Amino acid sequence: IFLFFFLYMSDRKAVNKYYPPEWEPKHGSINKFRGQHPLRERAKKISQGILVVRFEMPYNVWCMSCDAHIGKGVRYNAEKKQAGNYFSTKIWSFRMKCHLCSAWMEIHTDPENRDYKMVSGVKKKTETYEDPDAIALPGVGEKEIITDPLARLEHKAQDRNAAERKKPDLLRLLELNQTKRDDFALSQTMRKANRTKKKEERALFEESKSKGLNVITLLPSNEDDLAEAQKVSFQQSADRTERIRMNKRTSKALPVISSQTLSRTKQRKQSTLLALAKAKKAKMDVSLLRTSPNTKQKKKPCLFPLAAKRQT
């Protein structure tokens, strides 16, 4: 029960859930009402710029007071404060007591070397390890150091022979550079090329603008593109052409504005003549289109038979 009460009270103390009966909203926050800092005991020296934080030992170190070994990762309640600046980066100081002898230890951050600096009361443990099978590789821009005298002599001879072979080419390039170098001519050529390029771009922009392309600029014309475009032919099929001609003839045969007094018999006659003309054009049997006079047209079924009888 005591353990449960202790855990409950510590939780209440940490998150400030409890508000006493005498508290009112006009008093502000509960911390202001009680006259304490939100971080409580951790901020008891906040007026001096010191805040108690949890600090973890970055290296294996020795305590200078009791010569005890402190392993990497051991945690302490350290007093954190600003000890200076490196340009715009703050240098922090962590001051704590040894858990064995209660002597003070102080460690500073070192942003210049991206490391920690042991200031007082503690000494970093020197740990060296050399792998006998490790191979040292040369860094960037460094040449491999040849330790064998015979290999060094052979390497020098190869470099000397390569230099003798490349010497005539280098001399010829140097002479050509000295005789042919003309800054004014080079600048003139470059400026002329830039002017020509700007004129071509301006002409393409004007051409695009004349064709209604205000956003997209046309690319320069190419002979290969012109040859490919000439190969493409947009021809209509024979059936489509014949259909278009028939539609034109039909539209010419029909009046633009049909008369309201035109009888139904005349309309049927005109439609029959047009159908016969189309059939002859398509070489169809005209006898199939003729209907016998004895055939009677079927009456459409009436949706409302009773209303039809009444009307009759």
Side-chain angles (χ1 to χ4, degrees):
I1 296 174
F2 176 75
L3 179 60
F4 173 76
F5 179 75
F6 178 75
L7 292 174
Y8 172 75
M9 293 298 290
S10 63
D11 180 69
R12 177 200 60 75
K13 188 176 180 181
V15 296
N16 293 330
K17 289 182 179 179
Y18 178 74
Y19 285 80
E22 58 271 15
W23 178 85
E24 293 182 3
K26 64 181 181 180
H27 295 147
S29 65
I30 188 65
N31 294 315
K32 185 178 179 181
F33 176 72
R34 295 192 174 189
Q36 62 185 6
H37 197 272
L39 299 178
R40 297 180 181 269
E41 288 82 4
R42 291 177 53 196
K44 59 185 178 182
K45 296 182 181 179
I46 197 69
S47 59
Q48 304 174 18
I50 297 173
L51 181 67
V52 178
V53 296
R54 197 72 173 158
F55 181 78
E56 185 174 315
M57 194 63 68
Y59 306 110
N60 293 323
V61 296
W62 297 98
C63 178
M64 301 291 290
S65 179
C66 61
D67 293 333
H69 176 264
I70 301 174
K72 177 182 177 181
V74 178
R75 297 179 180 179
Y76 295 93
N77 291 331
E79 296 180 353
K80 175 185 174 183
K81 67 177 181 179
Q82 184 179 352
N85 288 300
Y86 175 73
F87 293 104
S88 60
T89 306
K90 295 180 180 180
I91 298 175
W92 296 105
S93 167
F94 299 94
R95 191 166 177 265
M96 66 214 84
K97 284 187 177 182
C98 177
H99 63 285
L100 299 174
C101 64
S102 300
W104 286 100
M105 302 179 294
E106 189 171 356
I107 299 175
H108 288 187
T109 57
D110 188 6
E112 181 180 2
N113 301 316
R114 292 172 292 181
D115 201 355
Y116 288 93
K117 190 183 295 183
M118 310 300 162
V119 178
S120 62
V122 67
K123 180 176 68 174
K124 183 179 178 181
K125 182 181 178 181
T126 305
E127 295 178 341
T128 57
Y129 174 74
E130 294 182 0
D131 189 359
D133 299 331
I135 300 174
L137 298 175
V140 179
E142 296 180 0
K143 293 184 178 180
E144 185 179 359
I145 300 174
I146 302 174
T147 55
D148 189 4
L150 294 177
R152 189 184 303 125
L153 182 61
E154 184 180 359
H155 193 270
K156 286 183 178 180
Q158 291 176 357
D159 292 344
R160 193 179 299 110
N161 294 333
E164 290 295 333
R165 287 196 304 270
K166 295 179 180 179
K167 188 175 181 181
D169 297 336
L170 293 174
L171 291 175
R172 184 173 57 83
L173 291 174
L174 288 173
E175 292 176 359
L176 183 64
N177 189 20
Q178 293 296 331
T179 56
K180 299 294 183 180
R181 183 177 179 83
D182 188 358
D183 295 337
F184 178 76
L186 292 174
S187 177
Q188 188 178 14
T189 305
M190 184 178 64
R191 286 186 281 109
K192 185 177 180 180
N194 289 336
R195 285 194 296 268
T196 306
K197 185 178 178 181
K198 286 183 179 180
K199 288 180 181 179
E200 292 176 356
E201 291 178 353
R202 185 65 183 176
L204 289 173
F205 179 75
E206 293 294 338
E207 184 179 358
S208 304
K209 193 174 181 181
S210 64
K211 294 181 179 180
L213 302 175
N214 297 326
V215 180
I216 302 173
T217 305
L218 294 175
L219 295 175
S221 59
N222 192 1
E223 295 181 358
D224 297 335
D225 296 340
L226 293 175
E228 290 293 333
Q230 290 175 359
K231 293 178 182 178
V232 179
S233 60
F234 300 95
Q235 296 180 357
Q236 297 178 353
S237 61
D239 298 338
R240 179 176 173 81
T241 307
E242 190 65 27
R243 229 181 295 124
I244 291 172
R245 288 178 181 174
M246 290 295 296
N247 292 335
K248 286 183 178 179
R249 290 177 184 175
T250 307
S251 62
K252 288 180 181 179
L254 291 173
V256 179
I257 301 174
S258 61
S259 176
Q260 296 180 357
T261 59
L262 192 63
S263 62
R264 293 186 179 180
T265 306
K266 197 172 181 180
Q267 290 180 0
R268 290 199 197 100
K269 186 177 179 180
Q270 287 182 357
S271 61
T272 304
L273 290 174
L274 290 174
L276 289 171
K278 290 181 181 179
K280 287 179 181 180
K281 190 69 177 178
K283 297 180 181 180
M284 293 176 59
D285 190 2
V286 185
S287 61
L288 298 175
L289 299 174
R290 293 176 180 174
T291 58
S292 58
N294 296 328
T295 57
K296 295 182 179 180
Q297 296 181 355
K298 294 182 180 180
K299 292 183 179 180
K300 295 182 181 179
C302 185
L303 298 177
F304 305 99
L306 296 177
K309 287 180 180 180
R310 290 175 184 175
Q311 289 178 2
T312 55

